[in-house]
Amino acid sequence: MPAATGPVAVAPAPAPAAKLAAPVGVSPELYPTEEDLAYEEEILREPFKLKGWWRYLVARAGAPFAKRAVIYERAVKALPGSYKLWHAYLRERLDHARPHPIDHPAYSSLNNTFERALATMHKMPRIWVLYLTSLHDQRLITRSRRAFDRALRALPVTQHDRIWPLYLRLASLQACPVETSLRVFRRYLQFDPSHAEDFINFLISANRWQEAADRLASVLNDDGFRSVKGKTRHQLWLELCEILTKHADEVAGLKVDAILRGGIRKFTDEVGKLWTSLADYYVRRGLFEKARDVFEEGVSSVVTVKEFSVVFEAYTQFEQSMLAAKLEAAEEEEDEDEGGGRKNGMDKLSKKFLEEFWLNDEDDTDLRMARFERLLDRRPELLSSVLLRQNPHNVEEWHRRVKLFEKDPARQVATYVEAVKTVDPMKAVGKPHTLWVAFAKMYEKHNRLDSAEDIFKRATQVNYKAVDHLASIWCEWAEMELRHSNFDKAIELMRQATAEPSVEVKRRAAAEGNEPVQMKVHKSLKLWSFYVDLEESLGTLDTTRAVYERILDLRIATPQIILNYAYLLEEHKYFEDAFKVYERGVKIFKYPHVKAIWVTYLTKFVQRYKRSKLERARELFQEAVQQAPPEEKKALYLQWAKLEEDYGLAKRAMNVYDEAVRVVPNSEKMAMYEIYIARAAELFGVPRTRQIYEQAIESGLPDRDVLTMCMKFAELERSLGEIDRSRAIYVHASNYADPNNSDFWKKWNDFEIQHGNEDTFREMLRIKRTVAASRSQTHFILPEYLMQKDQRLNLDEAVDTLKRAGVPEDEMAALERQLAPEPSAPPTAPSTAPASANRMMNFVSAGVEAQAQSSRQQAANNEDIELPDESDDEEPDVQIAEKSVPAAVFGELGKRAAESKEESSGVQEAEPLGALERIKRRRQ
C-alpha cells in the first residue's frame, strides 16, 4: 500500500453531502470525509501537537487499517520524535501483518516502517524489542543478526539485558549457523560470565566436545563461580567426567587422569562413578591393561560398600566383555581358517614353532577366563578390605577375614600379623585380646607350641584397655599348657600373672602418668579364680589356703569365693576354720550379697553342733536378723524357730514367732501369722491360738487379711462350741467386710441358720444393711409406707431363708404371725403373746440382743410431736432368760464389746431420741 508523503490538501466542499474529488489511482476511501473535517482543521492549525493527531486516531479507531495507516504516516512525518505515535503505529502494523505468511508484502512494509522508526527511535529499547522479535519470527537470520548488533551498539550497556535473551534465542535456532551461534555466545559471556552453563549446554548440543570440556574445566577452576541453575560443583564435575570419558577421542589438551583423580580426592560421595569413568576413558582409548589397573585401584581404595558395588560391577562387566570379545574373535578366525584351507593353518603353526614365540600366543582366552573367575572369587576378600578401611580397629571383621583363608595357613598368619599390628586396643571395637588368642591357637593347632608361647608372651606386653583382656590372655595361656599336660608350668604362669609389681615398677609407672593394665592385673578376680581352681585340682591344701587368704587380703573376694573356701575346709574336717571364714564373710559383705553366706553359715552350724552350742547359735541368729532388711527376715526367723523347736524350748520358739510377726513387712505378716498359729496349735493346743488371733486382728493388717483372720477365728470358736464368742467375732468382722463380699456374709448366714435364732438372724441382717448404708455415698429419708414395705421385704426374706434351712411350715407361719405388724393396734402397744409361743426349736438364746432391744423400747421420746400414721412394726416382747457369761470366755474382744455397749446404752439413756432419729433407727 502506498504511503502518504505529506499532509493532504483539503479543498472547500461544493455541497454538504458531496465527497471530495480523488486523484486518479488513489482509493477514495483513503481521503477525509466530511466527518473528518473538524480533525483536519485542527491538525492544519496545529500540525506539531500530538493531542490533535491522537484525538483524530482515537476517533477513527474503527476505520480500515489503510486509512489509519495514512493518518499515522502523516502524524509521524509531522512528529517524527513521538515515541507514542511510533509505538502505536508499529503495534498496529504488527497486528495487521501477523495473519499473513512471512513472504507477504505486509512484512516488507513492516520492516521498512521499523527502519524508518529507528532513525529517530534508536534509543528506545521497546522499539528494538518489537523489531527484533518480528525479525526472529520471520526467520531472517542475517538481517536479525545485523539488527541485534545495531541494537547493542545503539542502546546503553545497562539496557543490554533486554536484548541478549532474544539474541540467544536466535543463536539457539537450528537454522542459525554454528559458528554464528558460538560467536554470539562468546560475546554474551563477555557481557555476563555467570551464564557459562548456557554456553556449555549449547556446546554439548552442538557436539563441540573440546570447547565444552575446556569451558567446564575453566568453570571448575574458578573458585568464585556460582551456578545460576543451582548445580553443585560435584554435578559439574560429573558432567566433565562424562564428556571426557565418552568422547575421549574428540577431547585433547586436558589431563583426563589428573582431572578425574582430583575429583576422586575432592568429592568422596561419588568416587565409585568417578573410578568407573576413569576406567571407561582408558577403555575407549584402547588401553585395556591401564583400565584394569584403574579398576584394581578403585576396588582397593573405596571405603563404602555402595561404592565398592558400583566399581566391582563395572569391573566384572569389563572382564566379561573382554572375554566375550575374545571368544567372538576366535570364532571368526576359525571360520576364516575353514574357508582358507589347511595351508594357511599349517603356515601359522609352522611360524609359531619356527619362531619359538610360545609366550606371544594370540589366543589368551584361558588367561582371560582365569582372570574373570579369580575376580569373582576375590569378591569376599575385597569386600572385607572395604569394611576394614571403614574401621581398621573392628576386631570381629578381622576374625571374619581370617575365616576367608581357612585353606591357606600362610594367608591366615599374614592376616593375623596385620591385624595385631593395625588394631589399637584403646580404639578397638570388640575384644582385641581375642586376636592374639586366636593367633596362638592357630599355631597350637599345627603343633607349634613354641610359636604359640611366643605369641602369648608378646600378647601379655600389650597395653589393653581393660584389665580383663590381659587376664584372659594369661588364662588362655595356662589352659593351653594344661591341654598339653604341662601342669607345673600352668601353675607357674598363674603365680607370675598374680605377682604384685615391685615398688620401683609402680613408681616408674606413676611417673609416666599413664598406668598400664599390667600394674592392675594382680587384682583380677578372674585370674585368682582360675589360680585357686588350679591349686584345688593340682596343689596341696596349704597352697590352696594360701591362695584363698591372698584373695581375702586383696579384698577382691566374692560371696562365692567365701563359700568355696569354707567348703574346702569342711571337706578336710577344718570346721572351726570354716566357721571363721564365714565370720569374715559376713563382716565383709552387706545385704543382699551376704544372704547366701548367712543361710549357709547358720545351716552348717546347726547341723554341726545341734544343741551342744545352742547359745552361740542363738547369738548368730540374733546377729543375722539384726543385719537383715525386713524383707529378708522371714526365712531367718523360721530357721531360728525350727532350731528352738528341735533343740531348744517351745516357749522360746513362740517368742521367736512373736518377734517375727512384729518385724516382717505387712505383705508377709498374714503368712507369718498362719505359721505362728499352726505351730502354736501343735505345740500348746488350740486354746493357745486365741491370743494369737486377737493379736493378729489388732496388729494393723489390711482389711482383707483382718477379715480372713476373723473368719478363721470364728470358725475356731464355733468348733469349740463357743457360739456367742463366734457371733461376736462375726459382728466385729463386719466392720471390715465389703457388702459385696458374698463369702463372708454367706458364712455368717449359714452360721446363724445353724446356731442362731430369729433375733440373731435379724440382727445379722440389720448389721448387713448398716454396713451397706455406711459404704454408700447417698442417703435418703423414706416415707412411712416405703419403710413398711422395706420391713415386709425383710420379713419375707427371713422366712425364705428359714424355709431353705428346713424349718417346718407351721413354725414358719407362727413366726410370720408373730413378726407381722397389726394395723389397728397403736404404735406403742406391746405384744401380749406368751413367751412359750415365741420359742423356736433348735435355736439358741439371743441373750444380749434381747436386752439391747428392750433398752431401745424404754428410751422412747416423750415429747408431743405429730407424726404420720405408721404401722406397728415394733418387735414382739419376747421373754428370754438371761445368763451371765464369764468375761474370760470373751477375752479382750469381749471386754471391748461390753465397754462399747455400755457407752452406747448410756448415750441412749442420757439423750432422748427424736422422731427423725427413730425413723433412721427403724430403717437400720
Side-chain angles (χ1 to χ4, degrees):
M1 184 177 294
T5 57
V8 180
V10 181
K19 288 187 177 180
L20 298 175
V24 179
V26 179
S27 175
E29 296 179 354
L30 300 180
Y31 283 87
T33 61
E34 293 182 357
E35 297 176 355
D36 300 334
L37 292 178
Y39 300 105
E40 291 289 346
E41 291 176 356
E42 183 179 0
I43 61 177
L44 285 175
R45 288 193 303 268
E46 296 178 344
F48 303 109
K49 284 190 177 181
L50 176 63
K51 185 176 181 181
W53 292 104
W54 193 255
R55 289 175 60 188
Y56 194 4
L57 291 170
V58 171
R60 294 295 170 261
F65 173 72
K67 186 173 182 178
R68 290 178 56 81
V70 171
I71 300 173
Y72 270 121
E73 288 291 346
R74 293 166 58 194
V76 298
K77 188 171 184 179
L79 298 171
S82 174
Y83 169 79
K84 189 173 183 179
L85 285 175
W86 279 113
H87 187 266
Y89 185 25
L90 294 173
R91 291 301 296 264
E92 287 198 25
R93 273 206 170 275
L94 279 171
D95 294 339
H96 174 69
R98 191 169 286 118
H100 302 293
I102 58 175
D103 56 350
H104 194 273
Y107 278 102
S108 61
S109 299
L110 174 64
N111 295 337
N112 293 333
T113 305
F114 269 114
E115 291 292 343
R116 288 189 290 109
L118 289 173
T120 55
M121 296 288 107
H122 59 278
K123 294 298 183 182
M124 301 300 172
R126 288 196 178 185
I127 303 298
W128 281 109
V129 169
L130 290 175
Y131 186 27
L132 298 174
T133 304
S134 176
L135 292 176
H136 180 273
D137 295 340
Q138 298 175 48
R139 296 297 190 269
L140 301 176
I141 303 300
T142 302
R143 187 168 183 174
S144 299
R145 178 176 56 80
R146 293 174 179 174
F148 275 113
D149 293 341
R150 288 165 52 198
L152 292 174
R153 288 195 297 268
L155 294 175
V157 179
T158 56
Q159 295 180 351
H160 284 189
D161 56 345
R162 307 179 67 175
I163 304 300
W164 274 114
L166 300 175
Y167 207 174
L168 295 179
R169 283 176 54 193
L170 176 68
S172 301
L173 293 176
Q174 293 184 356
C176 184
V178 177
E179 290 297 332
T180 301
S181 301
L182 291 176
R183 294 184 180 185
V184 170
F185 273 104
R186 292 191 188 107
R187 289 176 58 192
Y188 177 59
L189 290 183
Q190 294 178 0
F191 170 72
D192 189 1
S194 63
H195 287 77
E197 294 174 85
D198 296 333
F199 187 29
I200 294 172
N201 293 336
F202 172 76
L203 292 172
I204 293 174
S205 63
N207 297 331
R208 296 297 183 102
W209 307 111
Q210 179 67 50
E211 190 170 357
D214 293 338
R215 289 286 178 177
L216 268 175
S218 62
V219 164
L220 290 172
N221 291 330
D222 184 8
D223 295 334
F225 177 78
R226 296 293 180 270
S227 174
V228 295
K229 295 186 177 181
K231 291 185 179 180
T232 61
R233 297 181 66 84
H234 184 221
Q235 293 174 332
L236 295 175
W237 198 280
L238 293 179
E239 290 181 5
L240 176 60
C241 295
E242 186 176 0
I243 293 174
L244 294 176
T245 55
K246 292 185 177 181
H247 307 280
D249 298 335
E250 302 178 23
V251 178
L254 292 177
K255 297 180 180 180
V256 179
D257 189 277
I259 291 174
L260 292 178
R261 290 182 183 275
I264 291 171
R265 290 190 298 269
K266 190 171 184 179
F267 305 106
T268 58
D269 294 338
E270 296 288 344
V271 292
K273 188 174 181 180
L274 293 176
W275 279 115
T276 55
S277 300
L278 181 57
D280 190 23
Y281 167 75
Y282 286 114
V283 170
R284 293 179 184 273
R285 296 288 300 271
L287 303 174
F288 302 114
E289 292 300 327
K290 185 66 175 176
R292 185 176 288 108
D293 294 340
V294 170
F295 277 124
E296 285 290 339
E297 186 179 358
V299 295
S300 61
S301 61
V302 293
V303 294
T304 63
V305 178
K306 177 182 176 182
E307 305 300 337
F308 170 77
S309 301
V310 172
V311 179
F312 188 81
E313 185 68 22
Y315 193 5
T316 53
Q317 290 180 0
F318 165 73
E319 292 290 354
Q320 190 174 5
S321 62
M322 293 290 292
L323 179 60
K326 190 62 180 178
L327 292 175
E328 185 178 354
E331 292 178 358
E332 292 179 357
E333 290 180 1
E334 291 178 0
D335 294 340
E336 291 178 359
D337 292 343
E338 292 178 359
R342 297 182 58 186
K343 184 177 181 180
N344 294 333
M346 293 298 296
D347 292 341
K348 289 184 178 180
L349 185 61
S350 61
K351 184 178 179 180
K352 181 190 300 184
F353 278 101
L354 293 175
E355 296 181 1
E356 297 182 358
F357 287 157
W358 292 95
L359 299 178
N360 196 24
D361 189 2
E362 295 180 358
D363 187 9
D364 59 349
T365 305
D366 295 338
L367 176 60
R368 298 191 181 191
M369 179 68 74
R371 281 177 175 173
F372 183 64
E373 292 177 355
R374 172 62 177 163
L375 177 62
L376 295 179
D377 294 339
R378 288 171 55 210
R379 189 181 190 283
E381 179 185 351
L382 295 173
L383 183 58
S384 175
S385 300
V386 172
L387 297 176
L388 288 176
R389 280 193 293 273
Q390 291 179 358
N391 183 10
H393 308 290
N394 190 343
V395 177
E396 293 300 326
E397 188 56 38
W398 280 109
H399 284 297
R400 286 193 287 267
R401 186 176 179 84
V402 171
K403 290 181 180 179
L404 296 177
F405 312 120
E406 288 181 346
K407 299 180 181 180
D408 191 354
R411 293 290 302 276
Q412 284 186 327
V413 171
T415 304
Y416 275 125
V417 171
E418 184 182 1
V420 296
K421 287 182 179 179
T422 304
V423 176
D424 185 358
M426 297 301 174
K427 302 178 182 178
V429 178
K431 299 178 179 180
H433 71 278
T434 56
L435 290 173
W436 292 97
V437 172
F439 194 7
K441 285 184 176 180
M442 191 197 70
Y443 277 113
E444 181 189 1
K445 182 179 178 182
H446 293 82
N447 296 323
R448 297 185 56 181
L449 296 182
D450 52 348
S451 299
E453 290 177 356
D454 292 340
I455 296 298
F456 276 121
K457 187 175 182 180
R458 293 181 60 186
T460 56
Q461 299 173 3
V462 178
N463 185 18
Y464 297 97
K465 188 176 182 180
V467 177
D468 188 64
H469 295 169
L470 181 57
S472 300
I473 293 290
W474 284 106
C475 293
E476 291 288 346
W477 192 357
E479 286 181 359
M480 185 188 73
E481 299 295 344
L482 292 175
R483 285 194 293 269
H484 294 82
S485 302
N486 298 328
F487 304 120
D488 295 337
K489 190 170 185 179
I491 295 178
E492 183 62 29
L493 285 175
M494 287 296 99
R495 289 186 185 135
Q496 181 181 352
T498 55
E500 185 175 359
S502 61
V503 179
E504 181 65 26
V505 174
K506 290 182 178 180
R507 187 182 301 111
R508 191 183 309 116
E512 293 177 358
N514 186 13
E515 185 178 6
V517 292
Q518 282 76 8
M519 299 292 102
K520 310 173 187 176
V521 73
H522 68 282
K523 291 187 177 181
S524 173
L525 181 61
K526 185 175 183 178
L527 273 180
W528 283 104
S529 300
F530 188 81
Y531 187 15
V532 79
D533 289 342
L534 285 180
E535 290 291 349
E536 287 186 13
S537 303
L538 306 174
T540 62
L541 177 62
D542 294 336
T543 59
T544 307
R545 291 187 65 174
V547 174
Y548 274 118
E549 291 295 333
R550 181 60 179 160
I551 293 175
L552 292 175
D553 293 340
L554 291 174
R555 304 182 66 83
I556 58 174
T558 62
Q560 190 61 45
I561 294 290
I562 297 295
L563 296 177
N564 293 341
Y565 189 13
Y567 289 156
L568 175 68
L569 295 175
E570 289 174 5
E571 288 178 359
H572 293 81
K573 309 301 182 181
Y574 290 92
F575 296 104
E576 283 299 328
D577 291 343
F579 294 148
K580 290 180 181 179
V581 172
Y582 285 127
E583 290 285 349
R584 294 176 67 179
V586 298
K587 291 179 180 178
I588 294 174
F589 300 102
K590 303 297 181 184
Y591 268 93
H593 310 291
V594 76
K595 177 181 177 181
I597 300 177
W598 269 120
V599 173
T600 307
Y601 183 18
L602 296 173
T603 303
K604 296 287 186 180
F605 190 88
V606 172
Q607 291 177 356
R608 172 67 180 166
Y609 293 109
K610 297 181 180 179
R611 68 184 59 199
S612 59
K613 294 186 178 182
L614 193 58
E615 289 300 325
R616 182 179 173 186
R618 288 169 180 167
E619 292 176 358
L620 291 177
F621 275 108
Q622 185 67 30
E623 183 180 358
V625 297
Q626 287 179 357
Q627 293 184 7
E631 61 271 8
E632 301 291 346
K633 290 184 177 182
K634 179 181 176 181
L636 295 174
Y637 274 114
L638 293 178
Q639 192 174 359
W640 189 3
K642 185 70 169 58
L643 170 69
E644 295 293 348
E645 292 177 11
D646 293 343
Y647 308 111
L649 301 176
K651 183 177 180 181
R652 284 183 174 273
M654 292 299 103
N655 293 336
V656 171
Y657 283 122
D658 186 68
E659 183 180 351
V661 296
R662 299 178 188 275
V663 298
V664 297
N666 293 332
S667 59
E668 298 180 354
K669 279 188 177 181
M670 184 65 182
M672 198 67 204
Y673 268 116
E674 291 176 351
I675 298 174
Y676 187 11
I677 292 170
R679 301 307 300 162
E682 182 179 350
L683 296 175
F684 295 96
V686 176
R688 175 70 173 80
T689 61
R690 287 175 173 170
Q691 298 178 1
I692 304 175
Y693 274 117
E694 293 178 3
Q695 177 184 346
I697 294 171
E698 298 175 355
S699 63
L701 291 171
D703 291 352
R704 183 179 60 183
D705 295 340
V706 171
L707 183 63
T708 303
M709 193 63 69
C710 289
M711 293 170 64
K712 291 182 178 181
F713 192 12
E715 184 64 23
L716 172 67
E717 296 293 352
R718 186 197 64 77
S719 63
L720 296 176
E722 298 291 343
I723 304 302
D724 290 339
R725 287 175 60 86
S726 180
R727 182 178 293 109
I729 294 170
Y730 274 118
V731 172
H732 179 74
S734 65
N735 296 322
Y736 307 96
D738 188 349
N740 299 324
N741 188 354
S742 59
D743 187 23
F744 170 75
W745 298 107
K746 184 177 181 304
K747 283 190 176 183
W748 193 3
N749 186 78
D750 296 342
F751 171 80
E752 293 296 345
I753 290 174
Q754 186 176 2
H755 301 287
N757 55 29
E758 66 276 13
D759 296 331
T760 59
F761 194 86
R762 183 179 298 165
E763 182 66 16
M764 184 267 293
L765 295 177
R766 185 192 66 79
I767 292 174
K768 184 176 181 180
R769 290 195 302 272
T770 303
V771 172
S774 63
R775 297 295 180 92
S776 177
Q777 297 181 355
T778 307
H779 302 277
F780 300 96
I781 299 178
L782 301 178
E784 181 181 0
Y785 72 95
L786 290 181
M787 294 172 59
Q788 295 177 1
K789 181 179 179 182
D790 182 61
Q791 182 180 3
R792 183 64 186 177
L793 289 175
N794 292 335
L795 179 60
D796 294 340
E797 181 181 356
V799 172
D800 292 340
T801 303
L802 294 175
K803 185 176 181 181
R804 287 194 302 272
V807 180
E809 293 186 0
D810 54 351
E811 295 182 1
M812 286 191 293
L815 178 62
E816 184 175 2
R817 287 193 302 272
Q818 177 187 353
L819 298 179
E822 298 181 1
S824 59
T828 58
S831 176
T832 59
S836 61
N838 296 331
R839 288 285 184 179
M840 297 287 295
M841 298 298 293
N842 299 327
F843 277 83
V844 182
S845 173
V848 180
E849 285 79 356
Q851 183 179 2
Q853 184 173 354
S854 62
S855 64
R856 285 200 305 270
Q857 292 178 358
Q858 295 175 3
N861 191 3
N862 297 324
E863 293 181 2
D864 189 7
I865 300 176
E866 292 293 334
L867 295 175
D869 295 337
E870 60 182 5
S871 61
D872 187 7
D873 56 351
E874 294 183 356
E875 302 295 336
D877 188 8
V878 180
Q879 300 295 330
I880 299 175
E882 297 182 1
K883 182 179 179 180
S884 61
V885 181
V889 176
F890 297 96
E892 294 296 329
L893 292 176
K895 293 180 181 180
R896 284 194 293 274
E899 292 174 359
S900 62
K901 185 169 68 175
E902 290 176 2
E903 292 176 0
S904 62
S905 63
V907 171
Q908 290 178 0
E909 293 175 0
E911 298 180 0
L913 298 178
L916 183 59
E917 188 64 24
R918 288 202 307 274
I919 293 174
K920 290 185 179 179
R921 289 295 181 89
R922 289 184 180 182
R923 286 181 60 236
Q924 295 177 356

